[in-house]
Amino acid sequence: MTKKPEEKTKQLLNIGKDQMDLLERLCNATAVSGDEQEVRQIVLDEITPIADQVKVDAMGNVLATKLGHGENRVRVMLAAHMDEIGLMIVKKLEDNLFEFVRVGGIDERQLPGKAVLVGRDHLPGVIGAKPIHMTTAQELKNKIDASDLRIDLGLEIGEKVKPGDRATFATRFEVLGPSIKAKALDNRFGVAILIALLKNAPENIDLLAAFTVQEEVGLRGARVAAYAFDPDMAIAVDSTPTNDLPPWDDEDENVQYNTRLDAGPAIYVMDRMTIADRRLVNLLCAAAEEAGIPYQLRQPGGGGTDAGVIHRTRSGIPSTSVSVPARYAHTAASIARMSDWENTLRLLHAALSKITPDLLANERRD
Ligand SMILES: [Zn+2]
């Protein structure tokens, strides 16, 4: 039986087995900044059959176009970064111990004792930690310095590792009831959402999907992607840290929650690098309210997304960001809710479907 178009849309916007399998493959892949090939290949396999044009640019961004129908279509860029924070091997020492540096923002205290996967062969290793038996009371209080730590690969397989190889945390994707535990949910959520939107693109717009590289080291891929696409407007799709744990240690209420799990997609009004275009924020809020999708306005403050460079490209591009909230970002394992992921996908589809040339026709006098 062939499905009616509405049924097909509903199916693609619900997180089913196919979507979960895709997210699992994306999270378990290694794509530390500058070496995004594993995620790029998954993206290309998924979108090449359905996009009108797909290209990989000189930096490694995947730029995919899905054209709509009708006159005066708005050219909407969506950007999701493929890369994740991680480590880079810089030097081999005796006994197949390896010096490394951090790539992107990682707290050094997170590193000792973690299992890692090294290089494109995902060779298992560990960031050695001093056993508690040999640690002095003073050492327990000392700051941990990444330059004092080593990755230990055991004697056999270290031969295959070279300086420049990347390493990630060895966390495997798992479903925990309504939640997901994985590494790199920042930003495999965004990548999975962009793939789903390309497969189910609203026809009123031209969808310009940029799967970007090197976001975690300074939004480098998005800069050239936005220049190449030259869009009318842009939305960065990402994952944002929550700070939503209940108060303890005699604190009063947690008022610095930034975003919270279970509260829906986080719409940005301002972060460290971007003040969102008000027309786009209004569009997203109205779409959520009309469709009955829960949403939250992300508390302004730190952080940033690819929108930080996109909005300053060429003569300026109206931009904002929408993120899936996740706990414990940039650590070995994050926790997020499936419902927030699904609602972010639904919200973006609803908002894109509402875009008309009028949205951007007026000069900024808001
Ligand atoms: Zn991110």
Side-chain angles (χ1 to χ4, degrees):
M1 201 179 74
T2 51
K3 292 196 172 76
K4 287 192 213 148
E6 317 85 84
E7 282 178 20
K8 219 172 127 204
T9 301
K10 212 172 147 217
Q11 201 182 40
L12 279 163
L13 298 181
N14 287 336
I15 303 305
K17 189 173 180 317
D18 288 355
Q19 301 258 25
M20 289 299 288
D21 288 350
L22 174 62
L23 186 67
E24 178 169 358
R25 280 189 287 133
L26 287 167
C27 288
N28 287 344
T30 297
V32 178
S33 307
D35 189 20
E36 293 90 354
Q37 175 52 24
E38 285 181 31
V39 166
R40 181 165 45 238
Q41 193 56 53
I42 296 171
V43 169
L44 290 171
D45 290 346
E46 291 288 322
I47 67 169
T48 303
I50 46 105
D52 292 304
Q53 203 192 17
V54 178
K55 116 173 214 204
V56 179
D57 73 9
M59 284 189 74
N61 297 305
V62 178
L63 305 180
T65 305
K66 181 82 182 166
L67 300 171
H69 296 292
E71 312 241 301
N72 300 325
R73 298 187 304 271
V74 178
R75 291 163 43 77
V76 182
M77 175 176 175
L78 296 183
H81 69 86
M82 297 187 286
D83 62 313
E84 66 190 279
I85 53 106
L87 311 169
M88 183 193 279
I89 300 286
V90 291
K91 195 173 177 189
K92 184 174 180 177
L93 306 168
E94 281 174 43
D95 287 345
N96 282 317
L97 295 168
F98 291 85
E99 268 183 46
F100 62 89
V101 293
R102 289 170 291 161
V103 181
I106 306 181
D107 181 345
E108 290 162 296
R109 295 170 304 164
Q110 304 289 336
L111 295 174
K114 295 290 193 309
V116 291
L117 298 172
V118 180
R120 292 199 173 173
D121 293 327
H122 293 200
L123 301 170
V126 65
I127 303 171
K130 195 168 186 180
I132 186 103
H133 317 64
M134 300 163 199
T135 308
T136 64
Q138 184 55 45
E139 281 173 329
L140 285 172
K141 292 181 192 152
N142 288 351
K143 186 181 167 294
I144 286 162
D145 199 332
S147 62
D148 294 336
L149 299 170
R150 301 287 180 265
I151 291 177
D152 190 339
L153 282 158
L155 280 178
E156 292 297 315
I157 54 180
E159 292 305 317
K160 296 178 190 163
V161 175
K162 305 175 297 304
D165 285 353
R166 309 298 203 276
T168 53
F169 296 115
T171 312
R172 302 296 290 177
F173 180 96
E174 274 183 276
V175 174
L176 311 173
S179 305
I180 295 164
K181 182 205 87 180
K183 72 164 181 69
L185 285 171
D186 171 10
N187 184 30
R188 304 299 150 67
F189 269 142
V191 172
I193 287 169
L194 244 62
I195 291 171
L197 288 170
L198 274 171
K199 289 182 178 176
N200 190 36
E203 296 197 338
N204 53 308
I205 56 164
D206 286 346
L207 181 57
L208 313 171
F211 299 87
T212 63
V213 296
Q214 299 189 38
E215 190 266 1
E216 297 290 3
V217 289
L219 323 182
R220 295 175 191 172
R223 186 185 295 270
V224 298
Y227 187 90
F229 270 147
D230 192 13
D232 298 319
M233 59 170 276
I235 302 174
V237 185
D238 210 320
S239 176
T240 191
T242 61
N243 181 18
D244 63 344
L245 298 176
W248 58 69
D249 288 350
D250 297 329
E251 283 172 25
D252 296 331
E253 192 191 352
N254 176 2
V255 290
Q256 290 293 317
Y257 53 79
N258 189 12
T259 62
R260 297 187 252 207
L261 290 194
D262 280 328
I267 299 170
Y268 287 52
V269 289
M270 182 169 86
D271 62 24
R272 194 167 51 82
M273 308 193 68
T274 315
I275 295 175
D277 186 289
R278 202 159 171 168
R279 296 166 296 183
L280 306 192
V281 174
N282 290 345
L283 168 81
L284 286 156
C285 295
E289 275 155 32
E290 270 172 40
I293 300 167
Y295 70 95
Q296 53 190 322
L297 291 175
R298 182 181 179 278
Q299 283 189 351
T305 69
D306 275 339
V309 293
I310 295 170
H311 80 285
R312 291 184 279 175
T313 299
R314 291 184 180 258
S315 49
I317 298 168
S319 303
T320 188
S321 305
V322 176
S323 279
V324 183
R327 280 183 186 156
Y328 324 122
H330 290 208
T331 69
S334 290
I335 294 273
R337 297 276 194 270
M338 261 180 267
S339 59
D340 289 329
W341 170 27
E342 183 171 80
N343 283 324
T344 305
L345 173 57
R346 289 175 60 217
L347 170 61
L348 284 164
H349 190 270
L352 296 178
S353 303
K354 275 172 69 75
I355 292 175
T356 64
D358 291 350
L359 176 71
L360 303 165
N362 300 324
E363 281 177 50
R364 293 279 314 253
R365 295 209 181 96
D366 48 293

